[in-house]
Every structure is written in structure tokens, then in C-alpha cells.
Amino acid sequence: MAGALTDLLGEVLVAADGEEVAVSALAARGVSLVGLYFGCSLGGPCAQLGASLAAFYGRFRGEAAAAGGQRLEIVFVSAEQEQQQWQEAVRAMPWLALPFADKHRKLKLWNKYRVSNIPSLIFIDASTGKVVCRNGLLVIRDDPEGLEFPWGPKPFSEVVAGPLLRNNGQTLDSSALEGSHVGVYFSAHWCPPCRSLTRVLVESYRKIKEAGQKFEILFVSADRSEDSFKQYFSEMPWVAVPYADEARRSRLNRLYGIQGIPTLIVLDSKGDVITRQGRVEVLNDIECREFPWHPKPVLELTDSNAVQLNEGPCLVLFVDSEDDGESEAAKQLIQPIAEKIIAKYKAKEEEAPLLFFVAGEDDMTDSLRDYTNLPEAAPLLTILDMSARAKYVMDVEEITPEIVEAFVSDFLADKLKPEPI
């Protein structure tokens, strides 16, 4: 256990009293699950979660003392910018914290787990470091007594099991989804981007069905009332989890670690995830020619997928050309390197630490260059880390596969010096 956790968290953590605790000591305590708590001390949602989490953690500590062991540990990964605020926050917490000075490791954790908002709680297996549950906030709400510990992922077919609705009031069993590709659609009527996506998605659904593909969409509502759910669902030609079945809706949110809406998760006929970026795929492929949207190693940067730049470090090769041939040549240049990285991390059951893009010449690319203060050179090889507000730039006359591979390798080995964005 110590090896996997030490790689993630470093050698020591800090307790509320300021004492250092060796990460290797967690094994002796019997810790089998670690919750990474990404948050701050500025009140609001973080304060609410802190209180709930403290009660939850206290129950586990009490049970552990009675049983002679400790199954769960929490580690605070702070968003604080000032050390005094961090110290005040840690003193009020009954669990451990990543040292304030270890800012580089903090950013790596935020990027590794694609944390896009706070508070966020991610449970990882203490022996392997692998993700067990991406949405621990729902665990605290749904299983306050910890009866389902350790909250590991279950098959989609098991989580979704039960009756589903059509908007005419008819019901069908979830087994009707078997053998089809399924889009699990997390959305709500109060959310304007959701309503915009739904209009496009209705047309995509129709085209895919008319093409003879076995495809169904499952609406998992985040509406605030059943009346809103019914109004919104009346616009949808697919099926939904009944609004009253809050437990099943919550389990689906937990299963896929939903942090925001709209989100469209596309599954294959066995219930395995093809892509978590169904929203981007639908908007980029209006004619649905690439359904079921298997992920591409390298993407062409567009208005609809630029949001992914905020999900973690991204390699962006700027070619500054409206010529599709030049963009395609750039994709082919970096694709073998992207495929190698993706395969390496997939074998470890981890997400790749980089996304790969080619950027042509358009207004959106110009805005990105301006925002990140990049030189006007082309071609220009960069790695942009928006959450760390950092960039890495390789400005050479010719971009070769060897240059790209060395650039990526040095970045992953922390050998590159970042420039501020």
C-alpha cells in the first residue's frame, strides 16, 4: 500500500495538531480506503460538506476503535492560496492534509482526478491508488452509516435495474436496454445549456435510430421538482429513470462521478463506457456519422470541445492554417505518441495525464493564444495547464515526432519549467 499512496501523496501528511504523519503508517492502522477531499475553508458548500464529512468520519473512527482498526482515512487537498487560511482550515479538521508547501503535488492530484469544482470527494483504494468512487459527496448523503462500504463501482445493469418511463406514461423494465448502445443523459430543465443540448440530441437520436442502430438514451433528471421533470421529459423521445426514484438517480450519478450538467455518457452494448464526452461528440458530429463516438487520440480544437482544456494538461499543436490537409498532417504526426501514452495508462486502468489537440486558424484559436500569451509562431508546440495557470512552450522551426515525444516525456517526468499564463 505504502508505495501506491506515497507516489500519490508523498512521504508525509499533516495532522490537525501540526504533527507529521508518515503515509507508510496508514497501512499499520488498517486503512483500506482513502478519501481525497478537494476543498477550501471559505464557507458555503465546502463548510456544509466539512460538517457532514466530519460526522461521517467520526462514525467510522468510532467503529474502527471498537474493532481495533481504521478502514477509512481522509486527506484534505486544499485550494487555499494563503498558508494562514490553510492552517486554520486544517486545525478544524479531524483528518489529515497534504502539506501546504507541496503545491506541485496538489496540482498533480487536481489534474489526475480531473477535479473541476469544489468541494469534491474522491475515494481511492489504499493498496493500489485506483479510483473506487468519484462522487463521495453522494456517498455521504446516500449512505450516512457506511453500510455499503467501500462503495466500489457496480455494473451499469445492476445500478439501473428497475422500471423506466416513457413520456406517455408507459413503463418498461431496464432489461430492455440490453444489447443496445446507451447514452446516459444527466440534465435538467433549469439549466440553459441542457435545454440547448437536448434540442440537438433529439435530432441525433432520431438520425441514429433511422439508420438502424440499436441506441437508447436514459434521462437521469437533476430537476428540482417532479413538475419540472415532467415538462422537460415531455420533449424527449427516449426513456427516463422515474423522478421519484431518487436513490437510483443518485446511484447513477455516483457510478459516473457526475460533477456538472449536461453530461452524456455513452455506453457500449455491454454497459462499458465508450466516452464521457458525449456532449462534445454530439455537437461536433451533427450528422452522427461517427456514432458511437469512440474517443480519438488527437482532436481538432473547436468551440464545442475547448471546454476540455480546463480538465487537465493538454498538448496543443498550433498549425495556424485553414488548410485541412495541414491540420490532418499535424494530427498524424502526434497521433502515434498520443496512442502510446493512452495505451500505457489504460493498461494501469488510469486516465491519460494529457489530452492531445491540433489547433488551426480561427477566432477561437486566436482567443486562446491571446489568453495564454503565446507567441504568434507556427508551428508551435505547447502544453497548457489551465488549472495551474501554467504553460510549456516548444518554439522550433520544424516539429518532428522525436521533438514531440521528448517534450511529452520531459513534461511527464517534471523536467520542464512552466511559464505563467
Side-chain angles (χ1 to χ4, degrees):
M1 176 181 86
L5 281 186
T6 300
D7 288 345
L8 282 172
L9 305 176
E11 297 289 341
V12 297
L13 300 169
V14 180
D17 59 5
E19 291 295 314
E20 291 187 345
V21 176
V23 171
S24 58
L26 299 184
R29 298 182 183 181
V31 173
S32 61
L33 200 72
V34 173
L36 301 178
Y37 170 28
F38 298 86
C40 67
S41 63
L42 299 179
C46 287
Q48 293 174 12
L49 174 62
S52 301
L53 185 56
F56 184 81
Y57 181 75
R59 283 192 292 273
F60 267 81
R61 292 295 293 267
E63 292 173 7
Q70 180 184 343
R71 297 184 295 169
L72 174 69
E73 186 54 86
I74 304 294
V75 176
F76 179 49
V77 185
S78 173
E80 307 291 358
Q81 299 299 312
E82 301 294 332
Q83 186 163 7
Q84 183 175 348
Q85 289 181 331
W86 175 84
Q87 288 174 330
E88 291 172 358
V90 171
R91 277 198 292 265
M93 294 176 175
W95 42 74
L96 304 176
L98 199 72
F100 179 80
D102 205 348
K103 296 182 179 180
H104 180 66
R105 191 177 300 277
K106 177 186 78 170
L107 287 171
K108 289 188 73 173
L109 288 169
W110 282 66
N111 286 333
K112 179 180 178 66
Y113 297 108
R114 301 283 195 262
V115 176
S116 57
N117 50 48
I118 55 173
S120 183
L121 178 63
I122 297 172
F123 290 116
I124 61 173
D125 185 287
S127 62
T128 65
K130 296 186 185 305
V131 173
V132 171
C133 176
R134 289 186 176 277
N135 200 330
L137 280 68
L138 292 179
V139 167
I140 295 170
R141 188 191 74 181
D142 298 346
D143 187 27
E145 303 302 320
L147 301 178
E148 298 178 31
F149 180 90
W151 312 293
K154 298 177 181 178
F156 169 71
S157 58
E158 181 178 335
V159 176
V160 78
L164 303 177
L165 287 179
R166 292 202 179 277
N167 61 16
N168 61 5
Q170 292 182 340
T171 62
L172 69 161
D173 190 77
S174 58
S175 59
L177 301 176
E178 294 175 4
S180 296
H181 286 85
V182 177
V184 189
Y185 184 36
F186 299 86
S187 186
H189 187 263
W190 53 262
C191 163
C194 293
R195 297 199 302 274
S196 296
L197 179 61
T198 295
R199 288 191 288 270
V200 178
L201 192 54
V202 166
E203 288 303 306
S204 299
Y205 178 79
R206 179 183 60 78
K207 290 172 183 174
I208 294 167
K209 299 283 274 188
E210 287 178 353
Q213 300 269 17
K214 295 189 72 176
F215 180 53
E216 192 52 78
I217 294 178
L218 174 67
F219 173 41
V220 184
S221 173
D223 287 296
R224 293 166 177 161
S225 70
E226 186 150 12
D227 286 342
S228 293
F229 162 76
K230 288 178 178 177
Q231 178 185 350
Y232 194 29
F233 187 39
S234 69
E235 306 167 13
M236 302 176 182
W238 43 74
V239 299
V241 176
Y243 184 80
D245 197 342
E246 185 176 354
R248 191 161 33 139
R249 290 191 286 123
S250 185
R251 286 195 298 270
L252 285 162
N253 273 271
R254 279 168 48 190
L255 178 62
Y256 298 114
I258 303 303
Q259 295 190 34
I261 56 174
T263 295
L264 179 66
I265 310 286
V266 181
L267 311 178
D268 65 18
S269 58
K270 296 179 181 178
D272 296 326
V273 174
I274 293 176
T275 179
R276 299 178 58 86
Q277 299 293 337
R279 175 190 183 184
V280 171
E281 298 293 352
V282 165
L283 296 175
N284 273 348
D285 182 26
I286 296 297
E287 297 303 319
C288 306
R289 293 191 179 99
E290 298 179 4
F291 175 82
W293 303 303
H294 289 280
K296 299 181 183 70
V298 183
L299 298 173
E300 188 162 347
L301 193 62
T302 65
D303 287 331
S304 58
N305 65 25
V307 65
Q308 291 177 258
L309 293 174
N310 297 311
E311 294 183 2
C314 298
L315 182 143
V316 184
L317 175 54
F318 291 87
V319 294
D320 275 0
S321 172
E322 296 178 353
D323 182 355
D324 289 342
E326 188 167 340
S327 292
E328 188 59 34
K331 283 188 211 173
Q332 294 303 318
L333 186 149
I334 62 177
Q335 181 157 325
I337 297 147
E339 288 175 340
K340 186 188 298 185
I341 295 292
I342 292 167
K344 176 183 176 181
Y345 283 85
K346 185 176 181 181
K348 298 192 291 185
E349 298 181 5
E350 296 180 8
E351 291 190 40
L354 273 174
L355 298 177
F356 295 83
F357 291 91
V358 167
E361 186 175 6
D362 55 33
D363 291 342
M364 192 274 295
T365 300
D366 290 342
S367 296
L368 179 61
R369 276 185 181 271
D370 290 343
Y371 177 74
T372 55
N373 196 27
L374 289 171
E376 290 298 323
L380 184 69
L381 183 63
T382 68
I383 292 175
L384 305 178
D385 187 347
M386 296 301 194
S387 62
R389 298 191 61 79
K391 64 187 177 187
Y392 307 81
V393 181
M394 176 69 72
D395 186 1
V396 295
E397 289 187 8
E398 182 181 4
I399 306 294
T400 66
E402 292 75 21
I403 285 175
V404 176
E405 190 151 20
F407 187 55
V408 169
S409 178
D410 286 348
F411 171 77
L412 295 178
D414 292 327
K415 294 180 179 179
L416 299 180
K417 184 178 179 180
E419 301 174 48
I421 290 179

